[in-house]
Amino acid sequence: MYANSRFPATRLRRLRYHPLLRRMVRETSLDPGDFILPLFVRPGRGVRQPIRSMPGHAQLSADEAVKEVDAARQLGVHAFILFGIPAHKDAIGSAAWAGDNVIALTLQELKRHHPDALFITDECFCEYTDHGHCGVLSERTGMRDVDNDATLPNLVRQCVRHAEAGADLVAPSGMLDGMVAAIRQGLDAAGFAHLPILSYAAKYASAFYGPFREAAESPPSFGDRGSYQMDPANGDEALREVALDLEEGADLVMVKPALSYLDVVRRVKERFGVPLAAYNVSGEYAMVKAAAERGWIDERRVTLEILMSIKRAGADLILTYHALDAARWLRG
Ligand code: PBG
């Protein structure tokens, strides 16, 4: 009856029978030290403006951001990525590299209180331009579009300004060709040869960024980001993007979003074996929160399962809005 089977000699359930053994043979583990918590910062004092579509998150002034970092570090989360909401926007996003830009000022304050935490700066223009696109616009191609090469010098200015203000890692997210090479050269020339670059190498034009755009006040005023972010249908192209960014000098690379792109995470890890981050984005967070609020899912178990799946797929670092809840839950 069992002629072609190793059963009953082989029973994989034997490894699951005892809860302690089950734990000991577990292949993947989660550590709050792997999490990167996104923070939305804006000018002012004492500002904590809740973000409707991202329960538990708020736009913070620098003093409030310091408190958030205090709380996170108590839970073992020591890495943060900063997104800025500037007081003024213009056509080129000049607030992104102004001397007193909101990220630079906030960084200085955060660094004073937490000199040994890790602060990453998102390097992009969609929060700073009045049209909400990730750079300078032109009609060079016959269509109104982000002008790749005209945006690069601004991107370098932004990164250098953030480096001067104390960024520990810069993370360009605009999906411009040549962005990593330009930033590397600019940072080196400004005396920041030691500063690593985390490239949003494979970033897809995704509808899962919806809540973020409310949080960062950055929706495009016309069109979408399909001419610079990747087509969700493409997997092989992500490997080309990653290969190019590594050649240009990226020290770490990112796949974003995470959940619908776990195949890409796995392929990048297997092909390149470099430090890899995955971004568990705002829409992924909002779906869990909304279903949990309705009592339709067990938030704790679903969240930890999601984060585990991202790790299992091959991510070393996870950018996630669940960082603090998950850190609390992992403590038991
Ligand atoms: C661009 C940027 C975006 C996100 C991170 N960096 C938005 C976009 O490309 O429109 C999205 C993150 C999220 O949804 O959590 N600066």
Side-chain angles (χ1 to χ4, degrees):
M1 177 179 182
Y2 300 119
N4 294 318
S5 168
R6 286 165 169 273
F7 180 83
T10 303
R11 291 175 183 267
L12 291 186
R13 285 189 60 192
R14 283 192 202 108
L15 288 172
R16 300 180 199 135
Y17 141 79
H18 196 296
L20 284 177
L21 183 58
R22 212 149 66 212
R23 246 184 121 111
M24 292 169 90
V25 300
R26 186 172 289 163
E27 297 172 34
T28 311
S29 61
L30 280 176
D31 179 336
D34 303 329
F35 300 154
I36 298 168
L37 176 68
L39 297 174
F40 299 96
V41 301
R42 61 176 310 144
R45 305 304 291 173
V47 181
R48 183 172 277 268
Q49 170 96 34
I51 300 160
R52 199 179 42 94
S53 53
M54 299 176 68
H57 286 268
Q59 296 179 347
L60 307 169
S61 52
D63 54 328
E64 291 293 323
V66 168
K67 291 183 201 163
E68 196 71 11
V69 170
D70 290 341
R73 299 200 70 198
Q74 296 285 323
L75 292 166
V77 175
H78 303 291
F80 305 88
I81 183 162
L82 305 181
F83 297 96
I85 299 113
H88 304 289
K89 303 187 188 230
D90 62 23
I92 57 172
S94 63
W97 65 86
D100 61 348
N101 84 76
V102 60
I103 293 291
L105 295 182
T106 305
L107 257 179
Q108 284 158 4
E109 194 156 334
L110 287 169
K111 277 295 208 187
R112 256 202 315 281
H113 289 85
H114 292 281
D116 53 350
L118 184 85
F119 294 107
I120 306 169
T121 47
D122 179 82
E123 306 292 349
C124 192
F125 296 100
C126 54
E127 298 113 276
Y128 303 93
T129 52
D130 50 18
H131 45 73
H133 280 282
C134 302
V136 175
L137 298 181
S138 78
E139 299 205 12
R140 211 186 285 270
T141 60
M143 278 173 276
R144 194 157 50 139
D145 196 356
V146 169
D147 188 324
N148 194 89
D149 298 11
T151 303
L152 292 178
N154 295 345
L155 183 62
V156 173
R157 286 187 191 103
Q158 182 185 31
C159 290
V160 169
R161 181 67 200 111
H162 292 160
E164 289 166 349
D168 298 298
L169 185 53
V170 296
S173 66
M175 287 300 283
L176 297 175
D177 289 329
M179 66 183 185
V180 176
I183 292 169
R184 186 70 272 156
Q185 199 179 9
L187 287 176
D188 290 1
F192 295 101
H194 66 285
L195 213 67
I197 299 173
L198 162 60
S199 179
Y200 285 66
K203 176 175 178 181
Y204 287 86
S206 171
F208 286 100
Y209 306 150
F212 173 96
R213 292 180 185 170
E214 179 197 327
E217 301 180 7
S218 63
S221 63
F222 66 91
D224 57 29
R225 305 207 200 287
S227 73
Y228 38 106
Q229 299 179 350
M230 282 182 59
D231 183 336
N234 297 351
D236 296 344
E237 188 190 4
L239 302 182
R240 296 186 70 195
E241 283 285 2
V242 169
L244 287 171
D245 282 7
L246 290 172
E247 274 169 31
E248 289 181 26
D251 301 282
L252 310 92
V253 293
M254 190 194 299
V255 172
K256 174 185 175 190
L259 291 187
S260 293
Y261 302 88
L262 291 180
D263 58 323
V264 179
V265 171
R266 163 57 47 183
R267 289 176 74 187
V268 168
K269 191 63 187 177
E270 279 182 351
R271 171 78 67 94
F272 300 99
V274 297
L276 175 60
Y279 201 140
N280 178 212
V281 300
S282 58
E284 297 170 343
Y285 175 80
M287 290 194 300
V288 172
K289 285 287 172 187
E293 261 174 31
R294 286 163 176 73
W296 291 348
I297 57 169
D298 177 332
E299 183 180 3
R300 174 186 173 134
R301 292 192 56 198
V302 165
T303 300
L304 293 176
E305 187 173 332
I306 285 174
L307 296 173
M308 188 70 82
S309 75
I310 297 171
K311 196 83 191 288
R312 193 194 62 235
D316 304 297
L317 307 173
I318 307 174
L319 295 89
T320 179
Y321 303 96
H322 295 291
L324 300 193
D325 282 342
R328 226 174 267 122
W329 291 328
L330 286 171
R331 290 199 158 183

